[in-house]
């Protein structure tokens, strides 16, 4: 491929943001196109079939499965309460008897004369999809969901955990190289999204959880801290469903890595504003990166220069050893393949690193800074 | 289309990240690869149209070949002069491939047959539900509700056998009310291929909730497994339902001259063709970014497994989690803190398209590849087994072996060829690295040929082998396979330093003396063919029987002949210092990495 580099993650001061909010199953959409919504507004809802319970009724009654329909007190479709007797068996003038109770409140869905089982389904569970961001409903997909649009500052991270949340942004450090320590997380940060610097530790994550922080944004995290906080190791890069009360967005990667100056400066500018955060990450079929959305009412869109590809002067970050995390500008784009230290023949880019050093790096190992 | 009239063939493979197109042309009497192009797959946002990636990959081939194959309407056909193709074919694993759930009554019998049918059809099996799988009913229901498979295959019971257990499985499915992964407006396809006597009850439970199809029993009697009809139906449903929901596939289908095939099914076909035409036992492996697929043919029995979360980029951290940092570190001839190693692997996971720049990073990735291969192969061996539940008479000898009767069909001494594919094997800087990764990952015994897929075109050749076997075979042998050579390895282990193997190896224009001890590996470089005259220690078997000399011709290749006396399983020292010295010695003996003074990297 001629352009074998990674496009950088978006860090934009103001850009149109559109979020598709869709139900897992068909349902109803209580909002209309053009309506203003806030992160907590329910924009679509449905009922997921309730939890089923299979009761081995014929075993409990000590009868043949084929006899079950004749001893049922409840028919398919009948409502039952937890503990209610649904089948009763009596033989030999009452000398042999048994009864079967419903394990849950619900509806009798199936009675099997083959397996002797009765299925009781609990009432349907309501599922609501919220707007997640402040904005306007621009499109309604009947029975499925909506699209919500806004103009916002939009920042993508490289990796995250935890689902969606919203809260006030607060800069908790003074410098992008600073470590977010537990003592920088205060009681009044409840419901806030905190901006850290180069690293967040397991102790800080626990402190944030204790205080009730909604989310944390920082440059890096160590593998051991992530493991320590979650209690297990993440195997596949699909996150967002962790059982944790906060969201984490890592902007640079694993290790102690200062947050990119551009990202930190933008977050400093947005300090105190309402933001939405989503730690969900999926680095496979349909890449999904974690994100922070800060809607900005009344702000004017400025035309941003779209990344067009690697050119002389393009600002890049090296994303692999031996210069992992270093920033620089493209100084050369040799056409011919070159042999690198690993002996692989690859397409390379020459980069003038900050500090003056000039290095040659595989094109696949740099990302463009927007 | 008559095979004779086919002169120009274009085939694409839509992978999860890259779409690859190859151009094959008839030159005189034979078909040869002419050009290859690739472009990012466009099945996801913001494009959501697979044909864009296909067009981009084909336009790269057009540029290289200086010809035109597409216009605004699609593929130009037939070929005339510098325009058009006679045959256009496609395979796909984009969007996560075909993801299935299977169910059966007994985990090691009908459920295993269902699993084999799904895997053989090219699916990823997300879970296998069985009456005796150790989970409680509510746990099974909860699991099925979490999964959103593309389709479900239900087997269970031999004809005339249990009905109640099959119905129990159907009840669990009905209770879970599963929904398909793609699209919200259609019913989940369910294939029922169990006891035919249970059809009415199964239909009663599932017909209203799912798109239910009935097929002949996959296991009509215990001694027989009929996987063909189920695999065929899986392919039909893959085309009709799954692909129809994926963006752009209807258009792609209109362009192709044959149905689109799931990528692993196509690779399986070409591996089977290779085994059949050469009459050999073979193992093929495709180690990708997300999954590792293993295919084997032993005594004409084909098996495929996919380890869905063992890969070299997206799933690289899962290899780390499954094997542990220590098992990766054991392949590295230098010291690195486990915490640093883990951070590096996690950074590869989140930036999966990066490549190793330093030699140290290359060694780490190749260490992980060995572990991924080894884990995937262990998984394969557990599934590539004979039919269980079959009564068989044992000989006196077998009775004394205390075996369970559930042995894997994979016999490493009988293995004749090992074929590797996937980025880390096809694109390793030195071919000897590919060979060593396969040797260490699979640990073949006796004499085994080694080969790699040059540019990963086995999927396209697999689908072509259905339509045009001659073209597929010629390109496969001339342009696809790179023969690395052979490995000769004794079975078992001995004391490090004790005499293991001696004799001579000759080849046209040369010869070499062999005198190897346990713990040694030697590479005799050359294309061969080699004439081996080798004598093992009296307790050692190198393929001719314990203590017996081996006199035979052995194939060479771009690497040559590996004489591997490092033991089966490999004897890696526990102590770090000794192990580092051992690794440096092995790597130097085969010229695996650039070495500087006295073996230091």
């Amino acid at each position: 491929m001629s352009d074998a580099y990674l496009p950088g993650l978006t860090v934009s001061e103001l850009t149109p943001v559109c979020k598709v909010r869709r139900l897992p199953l068909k349902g109803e959409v209580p909002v209309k196109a053009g309506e203003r919504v806030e992160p907590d507004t329910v924009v679509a809802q449905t009922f997921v079939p309730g939890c089923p319970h299979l009761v081995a009724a014929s075993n409990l009654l000590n009868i043949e499965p084929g006899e079950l329909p004749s001893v049922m007190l409840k028919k398919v479709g009948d409502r039952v309460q937890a503990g209610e007797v649904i089948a009763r068996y009596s033989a030999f003038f009452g000398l042999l008897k048994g009864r079967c109770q419903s394990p849950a409140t619900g509806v009798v869905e199936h009675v099997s004369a083959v397996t002797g089982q009765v299925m009781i389904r609990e009432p349907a569970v309501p599922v609501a999809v919220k707007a997640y961001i402040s904005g306007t409903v621009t499109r309604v997909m009947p029975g499925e969901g909506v699209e919500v649009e806004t103009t916002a500052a939009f920042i993508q991270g490289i990796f995250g955990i935890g689902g969606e949340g919203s809260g006030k942004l607060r800069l908790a450090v003074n410098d992008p190289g600073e470590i977010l320590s537990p003592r920088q997380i205060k009681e009044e940060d409840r419901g806030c999204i905190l901006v850290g610097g180069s690293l967040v530790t397991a102790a800080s994550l626990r402190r944030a959880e204790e205080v009730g922080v909604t989310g944390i944004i920082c440059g890096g995290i160590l593998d051991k801290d992530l493991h320590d906080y979650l209690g297990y190791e993440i195997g596949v890069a699909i996150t967002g469903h962790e059982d944790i009360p906060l969201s984490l967005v890592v902007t640079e990667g694993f290790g102690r890595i200062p947050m990119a100056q551009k990202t930190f400066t933008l977050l400093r500018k947005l300090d105190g504003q309402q933001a939405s955060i989503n730690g969900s990450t999926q680095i496979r079929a349909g890449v999904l990166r974690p994100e922070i959305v800060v809607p900005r009412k009344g702000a004017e869109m400025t035309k941003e220069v779209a990344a067009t590809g690697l050119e002389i002067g393009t600002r890049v970050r090296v994303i692999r050893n031996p210069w992992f995390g270093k920033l620089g500008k493209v100084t050369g784009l040799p056409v011919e393949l070159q042999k690198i230290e690993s002996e692989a023949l690859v397409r390379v880019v020459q980069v003038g690193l900050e500090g003056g050093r000039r290095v040659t790096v595989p094109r696949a190992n740099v990302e463009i800074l927007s | 289309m008559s095979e004779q009239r086919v002169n120009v063939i274009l085939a694409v493979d839509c992978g999860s990240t890259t779409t690859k197109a190859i151009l094959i042309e008839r030159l005189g009497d034979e078909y040869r690869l002419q050009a290859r192009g690739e472009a990012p797959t466009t099945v996801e946002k913001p494009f959501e149209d697979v044909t864009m990636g296909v067009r981009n990959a084909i336009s790269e081939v057009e540029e290289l070949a200086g010809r035109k194959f597409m216009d605004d309407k699609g593929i130009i056909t037939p070929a005339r002069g510098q325009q058009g193709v006679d045959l256009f074919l496609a395979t796909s694993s984009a969007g996560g491939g075909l993801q299935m759930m299977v169910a059966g009554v007994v985990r090691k019998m009908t459920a295993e047959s269902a699993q084999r049918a799904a895997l053989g059809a090219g699916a990823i099996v997300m879970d296998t539900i069985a009456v005796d799988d150790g989970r409680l009913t509510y746990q099974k229901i909860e699991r099925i509700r979490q999964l959103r498979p593309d389709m479900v295959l239900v087997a269970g019971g031999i004809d005339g056998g249990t009905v109640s257990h099959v119905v129990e499985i159907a009840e669990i499915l009905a209770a879970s009310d599963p929904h398909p992964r793609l699209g919200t407006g259609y019913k989940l396809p369910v294939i029922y291929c169990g006891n035919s006597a249970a059809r009415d009850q199964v239909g009663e439970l599932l017909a209203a909730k799912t798109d239910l199809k009935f097929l002949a029993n996959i296991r009509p009697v215990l001694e027989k497994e009929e996987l063909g009809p189920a695999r065929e139906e899986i392919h039909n449903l893959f085309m009709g339902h799954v692909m129809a929901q994926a963006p752009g596939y209807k258009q792609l289908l209109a362009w192709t001259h044959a149905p689109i095939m799931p990528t692993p099914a196509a690779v399986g076909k070409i591996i089977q063709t290779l085994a059949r035409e050469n009459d050999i036992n073979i193992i093929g492996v495709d180690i990708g970014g997300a999954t590792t697929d293993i295919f084997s043919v032993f005594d004409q029995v084909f098996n495929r497994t996919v380890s869905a979360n063992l890969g070299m980029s997206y799933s690289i951290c899962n290899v780390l989690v499954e094997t542990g940092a220590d098992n990766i570190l054991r392949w590295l001839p230098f010291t690195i803190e486990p915490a640093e190693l883990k951070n590096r692997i996690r950074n590869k996971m989140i930036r999966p398209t990066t490549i190793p720049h330093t030699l140290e990073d290359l060694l780490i990735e190749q260490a992980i590849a060995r572990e991924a291969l080894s884990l995937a192969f262990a998984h394969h061996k557990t599934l590539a087994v004979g039919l269980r539940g079959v009564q068989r008479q044992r000989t006196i000898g077998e009775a004394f072996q205390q075996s369970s009767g559930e042995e894997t069909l994979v016999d490493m001494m009988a293995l004749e060829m090992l074929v590797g594919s996937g980025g880390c094997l096809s694109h390793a800087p030195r071919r000897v690295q590919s060979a060593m990764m396969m040797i260490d990952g699979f640990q073949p015994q006796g004499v085994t040929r080694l080969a790699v897929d040059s540019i990963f075109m086995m999927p396209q050749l697999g689908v072509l082998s259905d339509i045009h076997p001659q073209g597929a075979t010629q390109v496969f042998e001339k342009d696809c396979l790179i023969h690395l050579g052979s490995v000769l390895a004794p079975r078992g282990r001995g004391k490090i330093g004790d005499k293991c193997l001696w004799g001579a190896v000759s080849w046209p224009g040369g010869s070499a003396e062999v005198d190897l001890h346990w713990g040694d590996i030697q590479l005799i470089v050359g294309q061969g063919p080699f004439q081996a005259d080798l004598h093992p220690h009296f307790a050692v078997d190198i393929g001719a029987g314990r203590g017996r000399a081996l006199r035979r011709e052995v194939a060479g290749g771009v690497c040559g002949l590996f004489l591997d006396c490092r033991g089966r399983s490999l004897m890696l020292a526990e102590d770090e210092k000794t192990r580092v010295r051992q690794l440096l010695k092995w790597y130097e003996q085969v010229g695996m990495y650039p070495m500087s003074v006295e073996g230091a990297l």
Side-chain angles (χ1 to χ4, degrees):
Chain A
M1 276 180 284
S2 51
D3 285 324
Y5 58 86
L6 268 180
L9 302 166
T10 305
V11 178
S12 175
E13 275 208 55
L14 201 65
T15 184
V17 174
C18 178
K19 292 285 155 195
V20 176
R21 313 296 295 161
R22 191 175 255 153
L23 287 165
L25 302 170
K26 288 255 184 192
E28 61 169 32
V29 179
V31 291
K32 294 185 181 66
E35 207 171 313
R36 277 276 322 153
V37 289
E38 294 305 318
D40 285 336
T41 310
V42 172
V43 292
Q45 57 200 11
T46 190
F47 289 92
V48 173
C51 183
H53 297 264
L54 281 172
V55 187
S58 63
N59 280 354
L60 288 169
L61 297 170
N62 252 328
I63 57 172
E64 288 299 314
E67 294 176 73
L68 182 62
S70 63
V71 301
M72 285 296 295
L73 302 177
K74 300 282 178 183
K75 306 189 296 293
V76 170
D78 282 357
R79 292 184 174 280
V80 293
Q81 297 295 316
E84 194 177 340
V85 178
I86 54 171
R88 181 173 281 133
Y89 172 70
S90 173
F92 293 110
F93 310 104
L95 284 174
L96 293 175
K97 57 184 178 183
R99 57 186 203 153
C100 173
Q101 291 167 291
S102 171
T105 298
V107 174
V108 178
E109 192 171 292
H110 182 68
V111 176
S112 174
V114 178
T115 61
Q117 297 198 109
V118 177
M119 193 200 303
I120 311 285
R121 189 173 300 269
E122 286 185 22
V125 183
V127 172
V129 174
K130 293 180 178 177
Y132 166 54
I133 56 169
S134 302
T136 308
V137 176
T138 52
R139 186 176 153 228
V140 172
M141 294 164 272
E144 288 186 39
V146 296
E147 279 179 14
V148 179
E149 271 188 37
T150 187
T151 47
F154 183 66
I155 297 165
Q156 280 183 314
I158 188 83
F159 176 76
I161 52 170
E164 297 172 346
S166 64
K168 199 165 80 174
L169 271 183
R170 186 180 84 78
L171 211 62
V173 295
N174 296 315
D175 184 88
E178 210 174 315
I179 296 174
L180 179 66
S181 70
R183 62 182 169 73
Q184 284 162 308
I185 302 169
K186 313 207 182 313
E187 291 297 330
E188 52 271 32
D189 286 333
R190 184 180 180 78
C192 287
I193 297 169
L194 299 182
V195 180
S198 58
L199 189 74
V200 61
T201 60
S204 301
L205 286 166
R206 275 194 283 270
R207 167 70 182 152
E209 191 176 311
E210 191 183 298
V211 167
V213 165
T214 298
I216 288 179
I217 309 160
C218 66
I221 187 169
L222 298 177
D223 168 77
K224 75 174 176 55
D225 283 322
L226 184 66
H227 184 176
D228 188 8
Y229 175 63
L230 288 176
Y232 60 91
E233 288 194 86
I234 290 178
V236 183
I238 299 173
T239 70
H241 300 288
E242 296 75 22
D243 187 19
I244 51 170
L246 52 78
S247 305
L248 169 71
V249 173
V250 174
T251 58
E252 316 303 318
F254 284 86
R256 184 185 170 181
I257 316 165
M259 187 181 291
Q261 191 63 49
K262 185 181 175 186
T263 313
F264 191 77
T265 307
L266 177 57
L267 288 167
R268 187 199 290 271
K269 202 167 157 182
L270 299 169
D271 192 22
Q273 297 200 34
Q274 275 295 322
S276 296
I277 184 169
N278 186 359
S280 304
T281 309
Q282 183 180 314
I283 312 167
R284 193 169 166 175
V287 178
L288 180 73
R289 294 288 185 183
E291 63 186 20
I292 302 112
V293 183
V294 191
R296 303 180 75 189
K297 288 175 205 156
E300 283 198 16
M301 294 276 292
T302 48
K303 200 169 178 184
E304 294 198 3
V305 183
T308 50
L310 284 178
E311 289 168 3
I312 304 292
T314 305
R315 276 177 51 74
V316 293
R317 184 204 332 250
V318 184
I319 51 174
R320 187 93 194 219
N321 278 341
W323 297 290
F324 179 74
K326 297 269 189 281
L327 305 176
K329 277 187 183 166
V330 173
T331 56
L333 287 161
V335 177
E336 62 282 2
L337 301 179
Q338 286 194 19
K339 196 182 245 190
I340 54 175
E341 188 194 314
S342 66
E343 292 191 330
L345 268 176
V346 295
R347 207 175 281 265
V348 297
V349 54
Q350 286 157 349
V351 181
L353 296 178
E354 286 175 353
R357 188 162 180 199
R358 205 176 141 133
V359 298
T360 301
V361 186
R363 288 194 195 184
N365 292 359
V366 297
E367 67 184 11
I368 297 172
L369 296 174
S370 53
Chain B
M1 187 176 294
S2 150
E3 277 194 30
Q4 295 308 312
R5 283 165 45 205
V6 175
N7 290 317
V8 186
I9 303 164
L10 194 59
V12 293
D13 171 47
C14 308
S16 53
T17 45
T18 315
T19 297
K20 290 133 306 213
I22 58 167
L23 171 68
I24 294 166
E25 204 172 354
R26 181 151 75 174
L27 305 171
D29 282 343
E30 61 176 11
Y31 289 87
R32 297 298 299 262
L33 175 77
Q34 292 301 296
R36 179 183 187 272
E38 65 178 42
T41 296
T42 49
V43 76
E44 313 290 348
K45 283 178 182 175
F47 311 105
E48 288 189 316
D49 181 355
V50 74
T51 58
M52 288 176 66
V54 171
R55 274 187 182 276
N56 292 341
I58 293 175
S59 71
E60 208 168 288
V61 176
E62 285 178 327
E63 273 175 41
L64 290 167
R67 295 158 68 162
K68 193 167 168 59
F69 303 122
M70 295 199 78
D71 59 17
D72 293 344
K73 291 179 202 152
I75 300 289
I76 304 168
T77 180
R80 278 203 188 101
Q82 290 297 298
Q83 278 203 350
V85 299
D86 296 317
L87 199 53
F88 177 65
L89 303 165
T91 60
S92 174
S93 60
L98 168 62
Q99 303 188 5
M100 288 184 67
M101 198 199 83
V102 302
V105 169
V106 181
R107 187 168 63 90
K108 292 199 163 186
M109 288 164 70
T110 47
E112 203 170 84
S113 294
Q115 204 177 348
R116 274 195 285 265
L119 287 165
I124 288 172
V125 175
M126 302 165 92
D127 204 343
T128 304
I129 306 285
V131 171
D132 65 339
D133 65 12
R135 289 176 284 192
L136 298 171
T137 303
Y138 82 90
Q139 289 171 319
K140 291 177 202 170
I141 291 172
E142 215 167 83
R143 176 73 179 138
I144 300 169
R145 282 162 71 103
Q146 280 169 3
L147 299 174
R148 294 190 69 152
D150 292 320
M151 69 180 87
V152 177
L153 182 73
V154 182
I158 55 169
D159 282 340
T162 179
V163 170
S164 64
H165 289 106
V166 184
V167 176
E168 193 179 326
I169 287 287
E171 281 173 357
I172 291 171
L173 257 181
S176 325
D177 200 5
H179 288 84
R181 180 170 62 110
L182 300 169
T184 51
Y186 81 107
K187 287 179 181 173
L188 179 77
V190 173
I191 302 168
Y192 176 74
C193 50
N195 183 356
S196 49
R199 280 185 182 185
D200 288 348
Q201 290 97 325
V202 171
E204 211 173 283
L205 285 158
L206 296 174
K209 291 183 172 178
T210 63
D211 182 3
L212 184 63
K213 299 260 188 307
F214 289 110
L215 289 183
N217 196 345
I218 203 170
R219 199 83 185 256
V221 288
L222 279 178
E223 292 75 16
K224 197 170 164 192
E225 197 175 57
E226 295 269 14
L227 304 179
R231 284 182 179 161
E232 204 168 301
E233 189 58 28
I234 292 169
H235 281 171
N236 292 341
L237 287 170
F238 176 69
M239 295 289 298
H241 283 253
V242 186
M243 285 291 98
Q245 303 296 323
Y249 275 88
K250 278 184 186 157
Q251 181 65 62
L252 184 61
L253 267 171
W255 293 349
T256 55
H257 291 104
I260 300 171
M261 197 182 271
T263 303
V267 177
K269 271 198 176 297
I270 200 78
I271 294 284
Q272 286 178 86
T273 308
L274 187 62
R276 192 176 50 245
E277 293 197 350
N278 295 289
D279 190 23
I280 52 174
N281 293 325
I282 188 168
I283 289 176
V285 59
D286 172 20
I287 178 166
T291 63
T292 297
D293 284 25
I294 296 191
F295 310 82
S296 69
V297 181
F298 280 88
D299 296 331
Q300 285 110 48
V301 179
F302 170 68
N303 272 290
R304 169 196 171 237
T305 51
V306 54
S307 299
N309 290 320
L310 293 175
M312 289 304 294
S313 59
Y314 308 108
S315 318
I316 194 166
C317 281
N318 205 51
V319 182
L320 168 71
V321 171
E322 284 207 18
T323 193
D326 286 346
N327 276 343
I328 294 171
L329 287 167
R330 68 186 175 141
W331 297 107
L332 301 178
F334 54 83
T335 307
I336 181 170
E337 282 299 314
E340 165 63 13
L341 175 82
K342 287 181 175 184
N343 282 336
R344 283 199 203 184
I345 298 174
R346 292 221 171 267
N347 279 319
K348 167 78 180 181
M349 171 186 79
I350 58 177
R351 291 182 169 102
T353 54
T354 59
I355 56 173
H357 183 167
T358 62
L359 189 55
E360 199 174 278
D361 267 9
L362 180 77
L363 275 144
I364 292 173
E365 283 204 11
Q366 294 190 345
I368 299 167
R370 287 173 168 98
E371 289 303 313
L373 291 174
S374 161
L375 287 169
F377 188 42
H379 176 212
H380 183 83
K381 283 194 274 193
T382 61
L383 209 71
V385 291
L387 293 184
R388 296 193 240 232
V390 178
Q391 284 193 356
R392 63 192 184 105
Q393 224 168 1
R394 288 184 163 202
T395 62
I396 295 283
E398 282 174 328
F400 280 106
Q401 282 175 3
Q402 300 274 314
S403 62
S404 62
E406 293 181 355
E407 297 89 356
T408 176
L409 298 174
V410 176
D411 176 358
M412 296 311 281
M413 204 47 124
L415 175 67
E416 288 159 285
M417 191 174 209
L418 183 54
V419 183
S421 180
C424 68
L425 293 175
S426 293
H427 299 140
R430 294 185 183 191
R431 292 286 184 201
V432 67
Q433 291 164 0
S434 313
M436 286 294 281
M437 277 187 273
M438 289 201 284
I439 293 172
D440 292 345
F442 288 88
Q443 304 195 18
Q445 300 167 8
V447 180
T448 313
R449 291 173 69 180
L450 304 168
V452 287
D453 176 356
S454 62
I455 51 168
F456 193 50
M457 56 171 149
M458 288 207 282
Q460 293 98 321
L461 297 183
V463 67
L464 180 62
S465 69
D466 246 5
I467 315 290
H468 201 297
Q470 183 200 4
T473 307
Q474 287 177 351
V475 175
F476 187 67
E477 281 171 4
K478 297 230 162 68
D479 300 309
C480 175
L481 269 198
I482 292 182
H483 292 280
L484 300 174
S486 300
V487 56
L488 187 152
R491 170 181 277 167
R493 304 169 96 171
K495 194 178 162 203
I496 298 265
D498 278 3
K499 216 166 170 60
C500 178
L501 187 67
W502 62 92
V505 172
S506 60
W507 59 94
S511 67
E513 290 297 311
V514 173
D515 184 14
L516 291 171
H517 300 83
W518 282 109
D520 288 342
I521 182 166
Q522 182 182 349
L523 171 61
I524 299 170
V525 178
Q527 292 286 347
F530 297 103
Q531 203 56 51
D533 184 2
L534 295 167
H535 304 262
H537 184 264
F538 72 87
V540 174
D541 182 1
I542 52 171
R546 188 177 281 200
R548 292 192 169 189
L550 185 88
R551 290 185 189 92
R552 60 168 276 189
E553 189 178 286
V554 182
V558 294
C559 296
L561 172 61
F562 294 85
L563 301 170
D564 184 359
C565 299
R566 298 174 301 159
R568 294 291 182 262
S569 56
L570 277 184
M571 295 181 288
L572 271 164
E574 296 286 325
D575 163 61
E576 193 189 338
K577 269 191 178 170
T578 318
R579 183 175 47 75
V580 166
R581 270 202 308 274
Q582 191 180 33
L583 288 172
L584 283 169
K585 186 176 143 199
W586 290 346
Y587 296 165
E588 195 177 14
Q589 280 174 334
V590 297
M592 200 165 166
Y593 299 108
M595 316 284 276
S596 61
V597 190
E598 291 175 359
L601 284 164

